[in-house]
Structure formats: structure tokens, C-alpha cells
């Protein structure tokens, strides 16, 4: 019996690790190939280097997304305000946008007030983990022993942080559409079930490696749905079978993958991120990244510009730039200078410049997804029919104190409602006692119990 219990415990503990990846399914069974006939926008897109074909290449916008991940603190605000200066505008006249995947530390250092300011300025707020110090691990459950997220712990962690952001930043949960795993940790895919369950639209944690980029002739991958296997090495990509548990009516079109790509400059320093992250348990290869002692604003700008060109001059796949907020703690001025220089070059149209026509847009990932699902040519975008910013008052210097007062007033109102309900209940109870109604009901109830006991005993 003990052996049986041990065996069952072993199976239950390790079962969540056995998520099928696309590559495993290709080896074990025949899978229908993704094509235009069985996968069409807006519900489905194949994993490939092709843009949506309904818009001509010259009419396709080059979409760039600055994405920031981690614990957003008040000390980061001065850097972010410089990077997202409303003076930097997209061709349709709207200021540039970015996406922030907000995490927690557990000690209250996340500045949810500034998160709301970012949201009010047309930026997107996404979700990361409630404990950024424990990437893809359930570190609270077993003390010092780390365990990879299982489906239940992934759901608990992701839902917890989504509620944190919604409640503390006063952002409706329907706007929290995207997710990114802390530090791009590639050790599992249990979080995809949570994304599907809690109404997320996309994940942007997957990194396409140098070999896959080379196999696609240097072209970058466009975002795709998960109805069919990824057309690149993706150990964390789940499949429809693994997520739907064999349900025939289950669709994975609701969750997209926005892949990141390895970066390099002059074919040197291939790295999954702009600045190397020394996270030992991550399976991403970073040994050839630029050494931190060589980092300066010039070389970071070269990284950003050169990899932008690889997207812009080929198939215009969206250029998703991953930026860890913790980098600002050590490289704040250098990193900010590089990002501002890149944004300035990419938003300035010059015959001899980086951008020669008005087709480069800095957008949130949610806005990019909107375009991919329903592509529109540049002239429609320029008319502000799409990616509109009318009615948005851009002010990154908005006093957080005023926002906090609104939050505090809302919290006080909720407390007042609770007190009012409690007072009403007490008043109602007191009225019942005064009228003798409640006392009569209790007496009748007790009499019924005693009568039933005596009847059962003597009948």
C-alpha cells in the first residue's frame, strides 16, 4: 500500500511537467499542415514569416513595441518620461506608445499609481508574476525548494497579479490583455492554460533563436495563434491537444504568441535580450551576450537600430523590444540615452536617415494585435481611423497624489457601503427582536427539535 501511495504521489507531482510541445507532437502523430485554407484571420494565423496578405507590402506599417517588464517603481518614472516624451509622434500624429508588464515583489514597492498614469497616456498595461523574484517557480509553497509552476499555481499567480493591477491601478481587467513570464524564463508552458481561462489575448515570452532565424533566411517571425505547431524551435509552445484535453470544440485562436528574436550587432554578441540577464536556471543561451563592462549608449543604440533594420527592410514583422525595468537601476542613464536616440531616429523621416517614409509606428502590443486581426493600409491609419488618440490628454507629470485621492475616496466609499449594509442588517435584526418575531421563530424551531427527538425515542 505504501508503494502504491508513493507511486501515485510521484505521478501527481510530476504530471504538470509533461506538457506536450509542438515538436513532440510532430514526432508522435501526423498533424495537419497550417495553410490559408484552414487558418484565416482574424481567428487564426500560421506560424511563419508572412505578413497578412490583404495589405500590400508598401502599405504595411512597420510596427515597433517597446515592452518593459518587472517591478515598476517611482525611481523608474524619470527614465520612462524621457523615452515616452509626447513630442515623439507616430505618423498619424499620436504620441508613441509602449507596453508594461507589471510584477510585484511582495513588499509593496510597485508603483501602481504610476502604472495608472501610463495607462491614462495611451500605454498598455500587461501582467507578469506577483513574485518577480521567483520566475516560473512556486517558491512560497515549499520554502527553500523551488518547483516549476503547475497549472493550478500558474492560474493562482497570474490571476492574483491581474487582480492586483486592476484593484490598485484602477484599470478594468478587460484592458489587461497580455502576459510575459518573468525574465523570459523558458522552463514550462503551464501558464498558457491560465491565459486561456482568464481572457488574455496574447503571450510574449517566447524567443526565436539564431538557428531558426537562419533557417528562415534571416526573416523574422510574425505573431501567430496556437492552433497549429510553431514553425520554429519552441520548447514552451503548447499545442491545441495539450491545452484542450481532446475537446473537439476547443479553440486556441483566443491566445496569440508574439515572439521575440535573438539580437546581435555586426553578427557579434548574439543574445536573447538587449542586456544580459544572469538568471542561472533559465535555458536561454546568453554566454555570447555583450559583456556588461562593455555596455555604453552607442553600442546599445547600434543593437536597437541594426535589429530594427532586419525587420524593416525584409518582411516588416513587428519588432518587439524586451526591456527589463531592473536594468534602469544599474544602467539607467545609458539605457535611456540609447532608447531615446533610437526612438528619435525611427520617428524622424529623412531621405538619408534610418526611416525614409512615414510608415513606422511605436505601438502597444494590443494595438499591433488589433491591426494583425484586421489589417488596414497606411492611408487608413494616417486618417486616425485606426490607432486613434483623440480625447487622450497626454501628461506624464500628472500628480499621483490626485490619483491616490481618487483611489482612497473609492476605497472609503466601498467601506461605507459595507458599513451601511452591516448597519442595515443590525437594524433589521434589532427590529425583529423588538417585535418578538425572531424570538418566536427561534422558540418554535427549538420546540420542533425537542419534539422530533422525543417522538423518535418513544414512538
Amino acid at each position: 500500500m505504501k508503494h502504491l501511495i508513493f507511486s501515485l504521489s510521484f505521478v501527481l507531482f510530476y504530471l504538470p511537467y509533461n506538457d506536450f510541445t509542438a515538436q513532440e507532437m510532430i514526432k508522435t502523430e501526423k498533424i495537419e499542415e497550417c495553410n490559408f485554407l484552414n487558418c484565416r484571420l482574424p481567428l487564426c494565423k500560421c506560424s511563419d514569416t508572412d505578413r497578412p496578405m490583404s495589405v500590400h507590402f508598401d502599405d504595411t506599417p512597420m510596427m515597433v513595441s517597446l515592452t518593459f517588464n518587472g517591478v515598476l517603481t517611482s525611481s523608474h518614472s524619470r527614465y520612462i518620461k524621457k523615452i515616452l516624451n509626447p513630442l515623439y509622434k507616430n505618423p498619424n500624429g499620436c504620441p508613441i506608445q509602449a507596453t508594461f508588464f507589471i510584477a510585484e515583489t511582495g513588499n509593496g514597492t510597485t508603483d501602481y499609481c504610476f502604472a495608472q498614469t501610463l495607462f491614462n497616456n495611451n500605454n498598455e498595461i500587461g501582467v507578469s508574476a506577483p513574485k518577480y523574484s521567483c520566475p516560473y517557480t512556486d517558491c512560497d509553497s515549499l520554502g527553500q525548494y523551488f518547483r516549476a509552476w503547475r497549472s493550478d499555481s500558474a492560474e493562482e499567480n497570474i490571476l492574483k497579479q491581474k487582480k492586483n493591477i486592476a484593484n490598485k491601478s484602477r484599470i478594468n481587467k478587460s484592458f489587461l490583455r497580455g502576459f510575459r513570464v518573468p525574465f523570459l524564463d523558458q522552463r514550462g508552458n503551464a501558464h498558457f492554460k491560465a491565459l486561456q481561462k482568464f481572457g488574455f489575448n496574447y503571450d510574449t515570452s517566447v524567443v526565436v533563436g539564431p538557428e531558426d532565424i537562419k533557417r528562415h533566411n534571416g526573416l523574422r517571425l510574425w505573431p501567430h495563434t496556437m492552433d497549429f505547431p510553431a514553425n520554429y524551435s519552441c520548447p514552451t509552445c503548447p499545442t491545441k491537444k495539450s491545452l484542450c484535453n481532446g475537446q473537439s470544440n476547443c479553440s486556441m485562436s483566443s491566445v496569440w504568441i508574439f515572439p521575440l528574436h535573438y539580437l546581435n550587432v555586426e553578427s557579434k554578441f548574439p543574445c536573447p535580450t538587449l542586456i544580459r540577464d544572469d538568471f542561472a536556471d533559465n535555458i536561454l543561451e546568453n554566454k555570447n551576450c555583450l559583456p556588461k563592462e562593455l555596455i555604453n549608449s552607442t553600442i546599445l543604440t547600434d543593437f536597437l537600430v541594426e535589429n530594427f533594420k532586419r525587420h524593416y527592410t525584409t518582411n516588416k514583422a513587428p519588432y518587439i523590444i524586451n526591456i527589463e525595468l531592473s536594468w534602469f537601476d544599474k544602467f539607467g542613464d545609458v539605457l535611456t540615452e540609447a532608447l531615446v536616440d533610437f526612438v528619435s531616429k525611427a520617428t524622424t523621416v529623412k531621405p538619408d536617415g534610418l526611416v525614409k517614409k512615414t510608415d513606422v509606428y511605436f505601438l502597444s502590443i494590443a494595438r499591433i494585435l488589433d491591426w494583425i486581426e484586421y489589417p488596414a493600409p497606411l492611408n487608413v491609419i494616417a486618417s486616425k481611423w485606426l490607432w486613434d488618440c483623440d480625447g487622450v490628454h497626454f501628461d506624464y507629470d500628472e500628480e499621483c497624489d490626485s490619483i491616490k485621492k481618487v483611489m482612497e475616496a473609492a476605497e472609503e466609499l466601498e467601506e461605507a457601503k459595507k458599513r451601511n449594509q452591516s448597519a442595515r442588517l443590525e437594524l433589521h435584526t434589532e427590529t425583529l427582536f423588538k417585535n418578538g418575531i425572531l424570538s418566536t421563530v427561534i422558540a418554535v424551531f427549538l420546540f420542533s427539535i425537542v419534539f422530533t427527538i422525543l417522538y423518535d425515542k418513544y414512538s
Side-chain angles (χ1 to χ4, degrees), residues 183 207 311:
F183 297 108
V207 185
H311 289 252

Side-chain angles (χ1 to χ4, degrees), residues 337-368:
E337 184 179 345
L339 287 167
V340 167
D341 191 17
F342 168 65
V343 169
S344 178
K345 289 178 179 177
T347 54
T348 304
V349 179
K350 290 183 178 179
D352 58 344
L354 176 64
V355 177
K356 298 176 176 61
K357 58 181 291 189
T358 54
D359 61 347
V360 177
Y361 282 79
F362 282 81
L363 302 163
S364 65
I365 293 182
R367 290 292 184 96
I368 296 176

Side-chain angles (χ1 to χ4, degrees), residues 100-103 125-129 157-159 161-162 165 176-181 200:
F100 293 80
F101 297 98
I102 306 298
I125 302 299
V127 178
S128 190
N157 278 278
I158 292 171
L159 181 59
Q161 185 56 13
K162 190 171 187 177
I165 297 170
L176 306 177
R177 301 171 58 185
F179 177 79
R180 178 172 282 164
V181 171
F200 286 84

Side-chain angles (χ1 to χ4, degrees), residues 8-19:
L8 288 172
S9 301
F10 181 85
V11 170
L12 289 172
F13 185 84
Y14 286 99
L15 183 60
Y17 286 76
N18 298 328
D19 287 330

Side-chain angles (χ1 to χ4, degrees), residues 29 41 55 111 140 181 229 288 308-309 311 327 347 369 375 422:
E29 61 181 284
L41 293 171
V55 177
D111 191 345
D140 286 337
V181 171
N288 295 318
F308 167 80
K309 289 179 180 178
H311 289 252
W327 295 345
T347 54
L369 177 55
S422 177

Side-chain angles (χ1 to χ4, degrees), residues 140-410:
D140 286 337
S141 62
L142 296 175
Q144 61 180 326
Y145 301 102
F146 283 9
R147 177 179 70 182
W149 274 0
R150 301 189 296 184
S151 294
D152 55 347
S153 56
E155 289 184 7
E156 179 184 350
N157 278 278
I158 292 171
L159 181 59
K160 179 180 179 181
Q161 185 56 13
K162 190 171 187 177
K163 288 181 176 179
N164 275 342
I165 297 170
N167 295 334
K168 297 178 182 180
S169 293
R170 299 293 172 183
I171 299 173
N172 192 290
K173 285 189 284 188
S174 63
F175 290 106
L176 306 177
R177 301 171 58 185
F179 177 79
R180 178 172 282 164
V181 171
F183 297 108
L184 305 181
D185 195 347
Q186 305 286 299
R187 285 183 292 168
N189 57 27
H191 63 283
F192 279 100
K193 285 187 178 180
L195 302 188
Q196 184 188 34
K197 181 175 180 179
F198 299 130
F200 286 84
N201 293 136
Y202 69 86
D203 171 80
T204 177
S205 311
V206 175
V207 185
V208 180
E211 292 301 318
D212 282 303
I213 294 174
K214 184 178 180 181
R215 187 166 61 85
H216 287 95
N217 300 317
L219 297 178
R220 270 48 182 174
L221 277 295
W222 273 77
H224 59 90
T225 57
M226 297 188 292
D227 295 272
F228 296 88
N231 193 17
Y232 54 91
S233 301
C234 182
T236 67
C237 289
T239 62
K240 185 172 180 177
K241 179 178 179 180
S242 66
L243 284 180
C244 296
N245 296 322
Q247 300 174 24
S248 59
N249 62 344
C250 172
S251 172
M252 285 312 304
S253 58
S254 59
V255 182
W256 287 66
I257 289 180
F258 274 71
L260 299 157
H261 295 79
Y262 266 67
L263 308 172
N264 66 71
V265 60
E266 296 178 355
S267 301
K268 296 185 295 184
F269 307 119
C271 192
T273 55
L274 187 61
I275 295 177
R276 174 176 175 171
D277 275 317
D278 296 315
F279 175 51
D281 294 329
N282 200 336
I283 66 173
L284 288 174
E285 184 60 62
N286 64 4
K287 65 180 180 181
N288 295 318
C289 293
L290 178 72
K292 290 186 177 180
E293 59 269 18
L294 298 181
I295 289 176
N296 58 58
S297 60
T298 301
I299 196 167
L300 290 181
T301 302
D302 290 343
F303 260 98
L304 292 165
V305 169
E306 190 166 321
N307 288 280
F308 167 80
K309 289 179 180 178
R310 295 190 180 108
H311 289 252
Y312 187 40
T313 61
T314 55
N315 63 346
K316 288 189 175 179
Y319 183 29
I320 313 298
I321 303 171
N322 168 57
I323 304 160
E324 293 289 340
L325 287 166
S326 59
W327 295 345
F328 288 105
D329 299 332
K330 187 173 183 180
F331 304 102
D333 293 330
V334 170
L335 179 59
T336 301
E337 184 179 345
L339 287 167
V340 167
D341 191 17
F342 168 65
V343 169
S344 178
K345 289 178 179 177
T347 54
T348 304
V349 179
K350 290 183 178 179
D352 58 344
L354 176 64
V355 177
K356 298 176 176 61
K357 58 181 291 189
T358 54
D359 61 347
V360 177
Y361 282 79
F362 282 81
L363 302 163
S364 65
I365 293 182
R367 290 292 184 96
I368 296 176
L369 177 55
D370 291 340
W371 186 92
I372 295 174
E373 291 179 323
Y374 299 98
L378 287 169
N379 63 326
V380 174
I381 299 170
S383 67
K384 292 190 177 182
W385 179 82
L386 187 69
W387 301 334
D388 189 12
C389 59
D390 287 348
V392 179
H393 176 64
F394 291 90
D395 182 12
Y396 285 101
D397 293 321
E398 183 179 17
E399 288 294 333
C400 266
D401 287 340
S402 61
I403 299 175
K404 286 177 180 176
K405 287 178 182 177
V406 172
M407 294 181 182
E408 289 170 0

